[in-house]
Amino acid sequence: MKIAVVGTGYVGLVTGTCFAETGNDVICVDIDAAKVEKMRNGEVPIYEPDLDVLFERNRRQGRLKFTTDLKSAVDHAEIIFLALPTPPGADGSADLRFILGVADDLSGMINHYTVVVDKSTVPVGTAEQVHSRLAAKLDENLFDVVSNPEFLREGVAVDDFLKPDRVVIGTNSTKAEEVMRRLYEPFVRSGNPIIFMDIRSAEMTKYAANSYLATRISFMNEIANLCEGLGADVDAVRKGMGSDSRIGKRFLFPGVGYGGSCFPKDVQALARTAGQNDYDFQILNAVMAVNDRQRLRIADKIEAYYGDDLAGKTIALWGLAFKPNTDDIREAPALYTIDRLLAAGATVRAYDPEAMNNVEALYGNKVTFCDDQYEALDGADALAIVTEWSAFRTPDFDRMKTALNQSVIFDGRNLYDLRRMVEAGFYYDSIGRSTVK
Ligand SMILES: NC(=O)c1ccc[n+]([C@@H]2O[C@H](COP(=O)([O-])OP(=O)(O)OC[C@H]3O[C@@H](n4cnc5c(N)ncnc54)[C@H](O)[C@@H]3O)[C@@H](O)[C@H]2O)c1
C-alpha cells in the first residue's frame, strides 16, 4: 500500500519504518529539514533498539523515503498517518495546533480517495475536527478520517509495533475499515485482535490506557512510601500482589515517578477533558499530585541524609533518560533530581548510555558528563540511581567503593538485593524497603 507518515518522531519514524518492513511504500514527511536530510543520508535521528537495521534495509530497498514536501507525499498516498506532537497547552489540555494545521494543509492537497489517520494521542472529538477542516475544501467522498491510537513503548517500540497486543481502529466507514484491516493484518498473524470501534471510543481508549498505567505506578509508589514507614518490603508486597491474576505482575514496580512524553501530558489532558465536561476526575488529580512528589523522592532522601551539608557535596547520577533503552529525556525524573541538587549547591556527575547529549543541550557545563558509569563515581560523595539501564544491574561493587568518597547509594529503582548491599558494606537507601546501614 502507499503510505505517507507526517511527523517523524518516536512514533512516526517507527510507524513508517515498520510499515515499509511489511512491504508497503512509505514516504515520511517532516518540517525539520535538517532531520529529513540526515534520514536521507541514512542517519536515524533517535535511539530506539533495532530501528537502525529496519531503517537501513527499507531505505536501501527504496520502500522508505523522506521529504519535507507534504504535497508530493499526499499525491503518492492512499493512507496518510498524522504522527504529530500534541504537547500540553498552557491550560494542560492537548495543543492541537500541529494536527489541525496539517489537516488544513491536506484539505488543499488531497485529490483522490485517502484515509487520513490520527495516530497522535488526541482528545475525544479531534477526528471530528480534522474531518471538518478537510470537508471545508474537499468533497466528503474523497476522504475518511480514522482514529488509530499508538500503544508502542519507547525502548521496545519496534517490537511493540511489529507484534502489537492489539490494534485499535476507530472509524464509521466500511471502506476505511477495509483499508486499515489490510494494512494491519500482517502484524496480528498470531491472533492478537484488531479492535474496530467508533471514533470517539478509540480516542478515549488511548487516554484511558495511559491514565490507568500512570495510576498503577502512583498507587505502587504510595504503597512503597508507606512500606518504608512500616518496615515492610515493597518488593515482597509487589510479588504477593502481582501473583493474583486479577492484578498481574507487570507494571507494579515502584520508583521515582513516571516521566516521558506521554503519561504526564496524557493524564493532565484527560483530567482537563473531564473538567471541560463538568466532571471532577478525582483519581487523576491524585495520580498527578503523587507523581509530582515521587519524582523528587531521591532528591528528598539525599537532602534528608546530608541535612544542611549538601552544598559542596558531589553526587554521581546513573541514568538520565526517563526510562532505559531510549534517549528521550522529556519529563525525565532525573532532570527534577538534577535541578534540586544544583539548587542545594551540590555538584552533579552524570552518566547515561544514550541520553547525555540531550541533557547536555539543556544543562551545558552545569553538570559534568562522564564517559562511563564508574568515571561518574570518581570523587563523588554518593551515587543516585534514577534509570534502570541493564548495565547498572550487576556492577563491580568493589570498584564502586574505591571510586566513591563514601560508600553511599540512593537507588530510585531498587536494583540491588538488600543482603548483598549489607555484605558489600554500603549505606543503601532504596524505594519502599529498609535502609541498609
Ligand atoms: N513517544 C511515544 O512513546 C508515544 C507513544 C504513543 C503515542 N504517542 C503520541 O504520538 C504523537 C507523536 O509523538 P512523538 O513522541 O513521536 O513526537 P516527536 O516530538 O518525537 O515527533 C514529532 C515530529 O513531528 C514533526 N512535525 C511537527 N510539525 C510538523 C508538521 N507541520 N509537518 C510535519 N512534521 C511536523 C517534528 O519535527 C517531529 O519530528 C503524540 O501525540 C504522542 O502523544 C507517543
Side-chain angles (χ1 to χ4, degrees):
M1 300 171 92
K2 296 196 181 309
I3 298 172
V5 180
V6 189
T8 58
Y10 288 86
V11 168
L13 188 56
V14 171
T15 299
T17 306
C18 292
F19 281 140
E21 179 70 8
T22 46
N24 298 292
D25 237 325
V26 180
I27 299 187
C28 293
V29 188
D30 207 288
I31 39 164
D32 182 340
K35 192 173 187 178
V36 167
E37 194 50 33
K38 274 189 191 165
M39 293 188 288
R40 279 186 169 156
N41 292 327
E43 208 180 306
V44 182
I46 53 167
Y47 173 72
E48 189 59 50
D50 304 329
L51 183 60
D52 49 352
V53 177
L54 271 67
F55 176 94
E56 191 47 26
R57 176 162 56 229
N58 288 286
R59 196 182 68 85
R60 279 189 185 280
Q61 293 179 357
R63 284 196 300 267
L64 183 61
K65 300 195 183 93
F66 305 95
T67 183
T68 52
D69 178 20
L70 181 61
K71 176 77 170 85
S72 66
V74 171
D75 287 343
H76 149 100
E78 304 158 65
I79 313 173
I80 300 173
F81 280 88
L82 307 181
L84 294 156
T86 47
D91 65 354
S93 58
D95 181 349
L96 295 178
R97 204 163 13 124
F98 301 95
I99 300 277
L100 297 179
V102 170
D104 285 338
D105 294 341
L106 293 178
S107 71
M109 295 177 178
I110 289 174
N111 54 19
H112 56 274
Y113 176 73
T114 306
V115 180
V116 177
V117 185
D118 262 341
K119 192 156 251 327
S120 299
T121 303
V122 288
V124 173
T126 302
E128 288 158 24
Q129 290 190 56
V130 170
H131 189 280
S132 344
R133 300 287 180 122
L134 295 174
K137 289 197 195 152
L138 286 175
D139 184 319
E140 301 217 2
N141 291 322
L142 272 185
F143 70 92
D144 278 307
V145 178
V146 166
S147 165
N148 169 218
E150 181 50 56
F151 298 97
L152 64 76
R153 295 163 296 167
E154 284 178 28
V156 278
V158 170
D159 209 45
D160 278 351
F161 198 94
L162 293 175
K163 288 178 273 175
D165 287 344
R166 79 320 207 169
V167 175
V168 168
I169 311 272
T171 178
N172 53 12
S173 148
T174 44
K175 198 168 167 189
E177 182 175 324
E178 255 341 284
V179 172
M180 297 304 286
R181 193 191 305 281
R182 254 198 302 145
L183 180 64
Y184 272 110
E185 260 166 1
F187 298 90
V188 292
R189 286 166 58 85
S190 58
N192 285 346
I194 302 177
I195 306 172
F196 289 95
M197 58 180 77
D198 66 276
I199 296 175
R200 287 187 159 237
S201 303
E203 290 171 332
M204 185 62 169
T205 300
K206 174 65 189 176
Y207 281 102
N210 271 4
S211 297
Y212 174 70
L213 291 170
T215 302
R216 218 166 135 101
I217 292 174
S218 278
F219 179 83
M220 278 315 285
N221 284 335
E222 294 240 272
I223 292 288
N225 297 344
L226 193 54
C227 281
E228 283 178 26
L230 296 173
D233 182 330
V234 75
D235 274 349
V237 174
R238 170 176 64 75
K239 287 176 193 153
M241 280 172 69
S243 304
D244 184 327
S245 60
R246 291 170 303 176
I247 296 174
K249 295 184 176 61
R250 295 171 67 188
F251 236 76
L252 280 185
F253 290 83
V256 284
Y258 58 77
S261 68
C262 294
F263 289 176
K265 85 170 169 57
D266 293 349
V267 173
Q268 201 182 20
L270 185 58
R272 182 76 197 152
T273 297
Q276 285 162 348
N277 283 275
D278 298 325
Y279 186 76
D280 180 15
F281 203 143
Q282 295 185 33
I283 289 178
L284 291 188
N285 295 332
V287 166
M288 290 187 282
V290 168
N291 200 62
D292 286 350
R293 194 177 59 192
Q294 195 72 15
R295 65 191 175 197
L296 294 170
R297 187 87 182 157
I298 281 295
D300 286 344
K301 283 175 182 282
I302 296 170
E303 282 189 356
Y305 181 83
Y306 288 107
D308 292 337
D309 296 334
L310 184 52
K313 291 282 184 296
T314 298
I315 308 296
L317 207 65
W318 279 6
L320 297 169
F322 85 93
K323 66 175 183 177
N325 301 321
T326 180
D327 59 354
D328 196 342
I329 58 160
R330 291 178 282 188
E331 289 294 313
L335 305 186
Y336 291 91
T337 310
I338 291 174
D339 289 344
R340 271 281 288 280
L341 293 174
L342 294 180
T347 300
V348 176
R349 292 173 64 80
Y351 171 73
D352 185 284
E354 294 294 339
M356 288 203 292
N357 288 345
N358 288 339
V359 177
E360 196 167 5
L362 294 180
Y363 287 85
N365 58 11
K366 285 193 220 144
V367 170
T368 306
F369 296 95
C370 302
D371 287 337
D372 75 66
Q373 64 199 66
Y374 297 103
E375 190 189 316
L377 306 178
D378 278 342
D381 296 290
L383 163 65
I385 302 173
V386 184
T387 315
E388 67 277 32
W389 285 91
S390 297
F392 304 155
R393 285 183 189 275
T394 43
D396 181 338
F397 289 116
D398 291 336
R399 193 170 164 194
M400 290 167 73
K401 286 186 85 167
T402 311
L404 283 165
N405 281 345
Q406 271 137 11
S407 306
V408 176
I409 301 177
F410 300 94
D411 181 359
R413 300 295 178 175
N414 290 3
L415 295 189
Y416 310 130
D417 179 65
L418 295 183
R419 264 171 311 181
R420 176 83 183 85
M421 298 315 283
V422 173
E423 282 162 25
F426 279 92
Y427 174 96
Y428 178 64
D429 189 356
S430 52
I431 304 285
R433 306 187 295 177
S434 322
T435 299
V436 165
K437 295 180 184 162

